[in-house]
Amino acid sequence: MCKNYNLKDKIQKEGKVIGSDIIKVDSFLNHCIDVSLFDGMGQELSEIFKEDKVDKILTVEASGIAVACAAARYMGYPDVVFAKKALPSTMTGEFYGSEAKSFTKGTTSVFRVAKEFINTGENVLIIDDFLANGAAANALADIVEQAGAVVSGIGIAIEKGFQGGRKSLEARGYKVRALATIEKIEDGKIIFK
Amino acid sequence: MCKNYNLKDKIQKEGKVIGSDIIKVDSFLNHCIDVSLFDGMGQELSEIFKEDKVDKILTVEASGIAVACAAARYMGYPDVVFAKKALPSTMTGEFYGSEAKSFTKGTTSVFRVAKEFINTGENVLIIDDFLANGAAANALADIVEQAGAVVSGIGIAIEKGFQGGRKSLEARGYKVRALATIEKIEDGKIIFK
């Protein structure tokens, strides 16, 4: 593992609790990126999924991209595909789409992946920075299934274990692993599982 | 340099010309990411700016993140800060902001960076995936200047040299370097400088 890699420690020291259910980790993950820490996360994700077939990694913009790329480096460089939340003028072909409501932003967006970038039968590992109610990961899984591809597993940096995300994904039969699972927030304190 | 790193070759083989001035590189940069190629880009950017002081890297979501993180790895792991195009509910503090009109999307957005993540006097390297009319890079430079920090330089993966981006940035006194500069598009063909 990379030198000084300790995600939970970093969350504990720098995570800011907002209200009863939002944890702000802008200083190293969602706005400012600690690339060395991300290398550690990538290495740990590659360890976790080393027995699983992974032809491709699927994530969603924006923070997920950095986690997915870090993992790809330790997994023999599978391509990373990131779903888009807005429709750029260059996305002219057919795409798979699935709606997801952002827990922190409160907005609903359509995740889109061009059909040419996921092939039938491919093994696709889903990676994202956060797992809360599972909307994003479920939308990514929908896209993999629409393509007739296989979900290898779901790898998450930070899971809020007190929300329903994991349950909804495990109910669909997926292997879900998180690098740090927060069991609860109590009196503004973060308590890990 | 990383094995088989050849960005221009990749653009030539996989880039799709749309109209007279848009080049779609979705298969390895803007939608699907070739992480090994990005490592090569990161290494080349670190070479280019090795004489410049870099305390921090500033980019903008989404594709810029992967380029910036790849460069950070070869530059001793400075923090990567990415400007946000939408205002998440977790961005509660004060921020620097600057408007940029996307050339490919045709939309105008406000780039925002929380004030706490750029300090006065810091040397900030701006990195982005594309340079067209320079709107994004100029907006990022505005943010660095609002913070009283110093622009170390501007590193770009793909520059469309036939648009005004470089000129507008050099007029502000910045060092601008691109890994691949497209001189023109002629009969649907990409011609490098």
Side-chain angles (χ1 to χ4, degrees):
Chain A
M1 210 56 63
C2 294
K3 212 176 68 176
N4 300 326
Y5 168 65
N6 193 332
L7 177 60
K8 287 181 189 170
D9 197 44
K10 193 89 173 171
I11 296 167
Q12 200 63 269
K13 278 186 186 152
E14 300 188 20
K16 287 174 191 160
V17 174
I18 300 178
S20 61
D21 51 12
I22 288 180
I23 294 139
K24 185 174 166 178
V25 287
D26 271 11
S27 68
F28 62 90
L29 198 150
N30 287 125
H31 190 4
C32 188
I33 296 175
D34 179 337
V35 182
S36 167
L37 183 83
F38 273 58
D39 278 356
M41 296 195 292
Q43 199 172 357
E44 196 179 349
L45 285 165
S46 81
E47 275 296 308
I48 290 170
F49 293 100
K50 70 181 174 191
E51 307 291 343
D52 301 282
K53 282 188 196 165
V54 177
D55 301 315
K56 197 163 274 181
I57 294 174
L58 178 65
T59 187
V60 60
E61 58 184 2
S63 306
I65 295 173
V67 187
C69 288
R73 253 177 213 101
Y74 290 96
M75 299 179 79
Y77 290 100
D79 276 344
V80 168
V81 175
F82 64 93
K84 305 205 172 197
K85 293 176 184 170
L87 190 64
S89 65
T90 52
M91 199 160 176
T92 47
E94 284 185 79
F95 54 81
Y96 301 112
S98 184
E99 267 192 10
K101 184 172 178 185
S102 163
F103 183 77
T104 42
K105 286 184 191 155
T107 52
T108 297
S109 50
V110 178
F111 289 7
R112 291 180 176 88
V113 174
K115 288 194 174 179
E116 62 191 299
F117 296 131
I118 304 186
N119 303 313
T120 307
E122 268 186 331
N123 298 290
V124 180
L125 176 64
I126 292 170
I127 285 187
D128 205 4
D129 56 337
F130 260 92
L131 177 63
N133 57 19
N138 273 298
L140 293 173
D142 288 345
I143 286 170
V144 174
E145 295 195 345
Q146 283 173 37
V150 179
V151 175
S152 306
I154 295 169
I156 300 292
I158 304 175
E159 176 190 7
K160 293 194 279 181
F162 52 89
Q163 289 171 329
R166 174 182 291 268
K167 196 173 276 183
S168 70
L169 293 163
E170 287 180 342
R172 294 175 70 174
Y174 304 136
K175 170 179 174 177
V176 181
R177 297 291 182 273
L179 304 182
T181 298
I182 295 164
E183 192 179 300
K184 56 182 171 180
I185 296 173
E186 212 167 55
D187 303 327
K189 278 196 176 167
I190 296 164
I191 295 159
F192 292 103
K193 195 177 166 184
Chain B
M1 210 54 64
C2 294
K3 212 177 69 177
N4 299 326
Y5 168 66
N6 192 331
L7 177 60
K8 287 182 189 171
D9 195 45
K10 193 87 173 173
I11 296 167
Q12 200 63 270
K13 278 186 186 154
E14 300 188 20
K16 287 175 190 161
V17 174
I18 300 178
S20 61
D21 52 12
I22 288 180
I23 294 138
K24 185 174 166 177
V25 288
D26 271 12
S27 68
F28 62 90
L29 198 151
N30 288 124
H31 191 5
C32 189
I33 296 175
D34 179 336
V35 182
S36 168
L37 183 83
F38 272 57
D39 277 356
M41 296 196 291
Q43 199 172 358
E44 195 178 350
L45 285 166
S46 82
E47 275 297 309
I48 290 171
F49 293 100
K50 71 181 173 191
E51 307 291 343
D52 302 283
K53 282 188 196 165
V54 177
D55 302 313
K56 198 163 271 179
I57 295 175
L58 177 64
T59 187
V60 60
E61 57 184 4
S63 306
I65 295 173
V67 187
C69 288
R73 254 178 211 100
Y74 290 96
M75 299 178 79
Y77 291 100
D79 275 343
V80 169
V81 174
F82 63 94
K84 305 205 173 198
K85 294 176 185 169
L87 189 64
S89 66
T90 52
M91 199 160 175
T92 47
E94 285 186 78
F95 54 80
Y96 302 111
S98 184
E99 267 194 9
K101 185 174 177 183
S102 162
F103 183 78
T104 42
K105 286 183 189 157
T107 52
T108 296
S109 50
V110 179
F111 289 7
R112 290 180 177 89
V113 174
K115 288 193 174 179
E116 63 191 300
F117 297 131
I118 305 186
N119 303 314
T120 308
E122 268 187 331
N123 298 290
V124 181
L125 176 64
I126 291 170
I127 285 188
D128 206 4
D129 56 338
F130 259 93
L131 177 63
N133 58 18
N138 273 298
L140 293 174
D142 288 345
I143 286 170
V144 174
E145 296 195 345
Q146 283 173 38
V150 179
V151 175
S152 306
I154 294 168
I156 299 292
I158 304 175
E159 176 190 7
K160 293 193 279 182
F162 52 89
Q163 288 170 328
R166 174 181 292 269
K167 195 172 277 184
S168 71
L169 292 164
E170 287 180 341
R172 294 176 70 174
Y174 304 136
K175 170 179 174 178
V176 181
R177 297 291 183 274
L179 303 182
T181 298
I182 294 165
E183 190 180 303
K184 56 183 171 179
I185 296 174
E186 212 168 56
D187 303 326
K189 278 197 176 166
I190 296 164
I191 295 160
F192 292 102
K193 194 177 166 185

